Each structure stands twice: as C-alpha cells, then as structure tokens.
Amino acid sequence: MEIGIDSFAAILPDPVTGERPSPADRMAALLAEVEAADRAGIDVFGIGEHHRAEFLDSAPAIILAAAAARTSRIRLTSAVTVLSAADPVRVFQEFATLDLISKGRAELVVGRGSFGEAYPLFGLDTRAYDDLFAEKVDLFLQLGESTEITWQGRFRPALHGQGIFPRPHQPRLPVWIGVGGTPQSFARAGALGLPLMVAIIGGTFDRFRPLIDLYREAGARAGHSPERLKIGVHAMGFVAETDGAARDIFFPGWLHLTTTIGRERGWSPPTREQFDNTASFEGAYLIGAPATVAAKLRRLDEVLGGVSRVTFQMSTASLETEAMMRSIALLGTEVAPMIRAAQ
C-alpha cells in the first residue's frame, strides 16, 4: 500500500483571532510540506483543484511544478483535475511538462469535481456534467497514445492530426479516475480499466465496498486483469503523538470548512460529537496516534478487499505549522513502515 498526502491549499482563519495567513505565506508553507513529505519517505503528494476563496489550488500543475523542483523522489499528482471543465489538450501539455521537470514523477487523478464553480467560470453548462467528462476522458487517453491524433467530439474543436507537445518523460502519464459515490462513475472506471481513487470524506469505509465490487465487476467484464484494477482511497487524516492530540489539532479547521460548505448545501451544523464518531476506529477519518492510524489502514485494506494507495487529506490542520510538519514526519517514518512491514 502506498501512503500519500493530498492538499487543497486551504487558507483558513485563526480560530481565535479570525486572521488568515497571507496567500504567499500559505503557499510557501505548502511547498515546505511537500519537501517534508519527500524527506519522510511519503510515496505521493497530491494537489486538488478548486475555484473558491477557501483554497489556493486553482492551478495545481503550477504548484506541483514548484514542488518538483524542490524534491527528488516523491510522486506528484493532481487530486483531482476537474477534467470536465478543462481542455484535455492543455491539461496533457501541463502534466507532460511537469513530468519532464520531475523526471517521470507526474500523475493525474481526473474527475468531475465536487463543487460546481468551474463550469460557469469556464463557460460550460452544468447540465452536460457527465457527458463533458466522458468525452474529455476519451480524448485525454488518446492523447497519451499518439503524438498526432484525429478526433471529433461535441464540446471541443476537432483535431485533424495536429502534434501534441511536449511528450512526457514516462512512456505514459499514469491516470486515475476520481469518484465520489455515484455507481455509474465506478462502473465507467472499471470499464476503462483505469485505477480508481475513491473520496471517502465521512461515514464508514464499509459502505463503499458494494461500489468497489461494482468497479471490479465492470473491469472484469471489459476484459481487464485484476492487477490493473487498483483501488485508492482519499480520506481525512492526521497523525500526532496521541489520539486526543490529533483530534484536537484537526478539529478547528475541519469545523470551519464543514460549516462553510454545509451552509451552501443545507447540511445540519457540524458538531464535535459527529467529528469524534467519524474519527473513531469504525469511522472514516484516519486521525490518531501512529499505531491507531496504522490499525485503521489495515482494517481499511481488509474491508475494501485490497487497497493500493491511501492519501491523507490534512489541509484543515494547516494553521498548526509545527504539528503539520510533525504529522507528515510521523506518517512517513512510523505509520508507513508499520504498513509496509505487514505486506
């Protein structure tokens, strides 16, 4: 199992003063986090894509390129690229360039996005949400196969043999499909034979097993080998010396973001009890001391029938700079070795 970290470059107010760090300072801290993850032996670092005031990750390829210049071994991925709202040709060029800068460490997780801001921002109709993604994934995958392609679709001007440059350092850019809870998304990823990255941001892990089984069944029907049908999980996570310390550090930022997003979506106000329940051993938050987090990872792997990668969403603890760096170190030097030793 690979261990990774995902960040949305959250820029959060101090829970006491209400002040926010400057965007430049927050970006500098984020790049320092990637460097720390590289030193700690973390396998992969992902940057999301959002177009909202709470996050600084509207241009993830640029952040990842800066990180590539400061690191030597960690793989660098989007988490996720909102491909439905982007030009696949431009995305391919950006990540091929990142792959050259990083000497073959670039990856993508592509999806439709959990927020809708990108669609009107780039002049797209949200009613075509799914059709946009299906067409653009098809084009993106073809771009990886050939330098010059002929292609025609509904949402982008046709290609008539134009060259797509540069080409990546790797023979192919690794592409994962990012999904939430829609059965059709799991089935499509299986039919394409692409690795699956499941965002599990609450509840329990076991409720996703039927959807993952659907993914594997769709992949088998399409003739893809089980080895090709890899499962990844993106979940809230944080590591500290004790379970209580990890929860206390993570909670304020979690409360702020969950309250903000919940108002938009009509959720009930979040509570500490709700948070603690989801951070318990049965819940989907990977928050706690190293031994606790390692035990939860082993349980996650068993419940979902084998997991190739787990990425920890730590952004809500970003105000606690020292604790954030300590969490990255503990994840890489204590949790990851426990998991690797058991495999």
Side-chain angles (χ1 to χ4, degrees), residues 137-210:
V137 166
D138 172 69
L139 174 54
F140 191 87
L141 294 176
Q142 290 191 47
L143 294 171
E145 296 295 327
S146 176
T147 303
E148 299 174 356
I149 70 167
T150 297
W151 175 92
Q152 186 168 354
R154 292 170 53 198
F155 302 106
R156 188 201 185 281
L159 294 169
H160 302 287
Q162 295 97 322
I164 309 299
F165 302 105
R167 307 307 294 179
H169 182 77
Q170 299 173 87
R172 256 184 212 87
L173 285 171
V175 180
W176 299 62
I177 298 287
V179 298
T182 307
Q184 294 88 339
S185 298
F186 285 78
R188 172 166 47 213
L192 290 170
L194 293 175
L196 184 75
M197 180 58 69
V198 188
I200 302 180
I201 58 173
T204 59
F205 293 121
D206 56 2
R207 68 190 179 97
F208 283 84
R209 180 58 186 266

Side-chain angles (χ1 to χ4, degrees), residues 12-342:
L12 302 172
D14 185 285
V16 177
T17 66
E19 295 182 3
R20 296 174 185 262
S22 75
D25 286 346
R26 175 65 187 110
M27 193 64 74
L30 173 58
L31 293 172
E33 291 163 17
V34 187
E35 290 183 87
D38 190 49
R39 290 193 302 269
I42 300 294
D43 295 301
V44 60
F45 203 106
I47 301 292
E49 180 190 340
H50 299 84
H51 303 271
R52 301 172 57 91
E54 299 92 351
F55 307 113
L56 299 175
D57 60 351
S58 63
I62 294 177
I63 301 173
L64 292 168
R70 297 166 179 239
T71 57
S72 61
R73 49 156 302 280
I74 195 167
R75 297 194 67 78
L76 301 164
T77 183
S78 60
V80 305
T81 294
V82 185
L83 192 60
S84 306
D87 179 355
V89 172
R90 197 64 177 138
V91 172
F92 183 88
Q93 292 173 323
E94 290 171 349
F95 278 83
T97 303
L98 170 63
D99 203 48
L100 296 175
I101 294 169
S102 66
K103 293 185 170 62
R105 293 185 282 134
E107 299 186 11
L108 297 90
V109 181
V110 299
R112 297 177 299 183
S114 58
F115 296 94
E117 288 85 359
Y119 294 86
L121 182 63
F122 297 112
L124 299 167
D125 188 345
T126 55
R127 291 173 296 182
Y129 179 81
D130 193 63
D131 291 341
L132 280 162
F133 184 68
E135 177 177 299
K136 292 185 177 187
V137 166
D138 172 69
L139 174 54
F140 191 87
L141 294 176
Q142 290 191 47
L143 294 171
E145 296 295 327
S146 176
T147 303
E148 299 174 356
I149 70 167
T150 297
W151 175 92
Q152 186 168 354
R154 292 170 53 198
F155 302 106
R156 188 201 185 281
L159 294 169
H160 302 287
Q162 295 97 322
I164 309 299
F165 302 105
R167 307 307 294 179
H169 182 77
Q170 299 173 87
R172 256 184 212 87
L173 285 171
V175 180
W176 299 62
I177 298 287
V179 298
T182 307
Q184 294 88 339
S185 298
F186 285 78
R188 172 166 47 213
L192 290 170
L194 293 175
L196 184 75
M197 180 58 69
V198 188
I200 302 180
I201 58 173
T204 59
F205 293 121
D206 56 2
R207 68 190 179 97
F208 283 84
R209 180 58 186 266
L211 293 168
I212 287 172
D213 288 344
L214 176 64
Y215 161 73
R216 290 179 169 131
E217 291 162 6
R221 283 196 303 271
H224 302 300
S225 67
E227 294 75 24
R228 186 169 174 177
L229 301 172
K230 297 193 295 184
I231 306 295
V233 171
H234 159 101
M236 298 280 190
F238 195 78
V239 191
E241 275 71 14
T242 67
D243 293 350
R247 294 184 189 189
D248 289 344
I249 292 166
F250 201 82
F251 177 71
W254 175 90
L255 180 65
H256 173 79
L257 282 180
T258 306
T259 300
T260 301
I261 296 167
R263 286 197 196 105
E264 298 175 8
R265 300 186 177 183
W267 299 345
S268 300
T271 65
R272 179 63 190 248
E273 180 182 13
Q274 175 191 351
F275 172 81
D276 285 338
N277 286 339
T278 315
S280 69
F281 190 74
E282 299 297 324
Y285 292 167
L286 301 168
I287 298 174
T292 300
V293 172
K296 290 196 73 170
L297 286 170
R298 288 190 289 268
R299 181 176 181 276
L300 163 62
D301 186 58
E302 179 182 357
V303 166
L304 297 185
V307 173
S308 297
R309 176 181 291 180
V310 177
T311 57
F312 286 59
Q313 172 50 257
M314 294 186 175
S315 289
T316 59
S318 60
L319 283 174
E320 300 277 358
T321 303
E322 290 185 13
M324 188 77 171
M325 289 299 192
R326 180 63 177 154
S327 180
I328 292 169
L330 288 170
L331 183 62
T333 63
E334 295 197 22
V335 176
M338 292 182 202
I339 298 302
R340 291 166 188 152

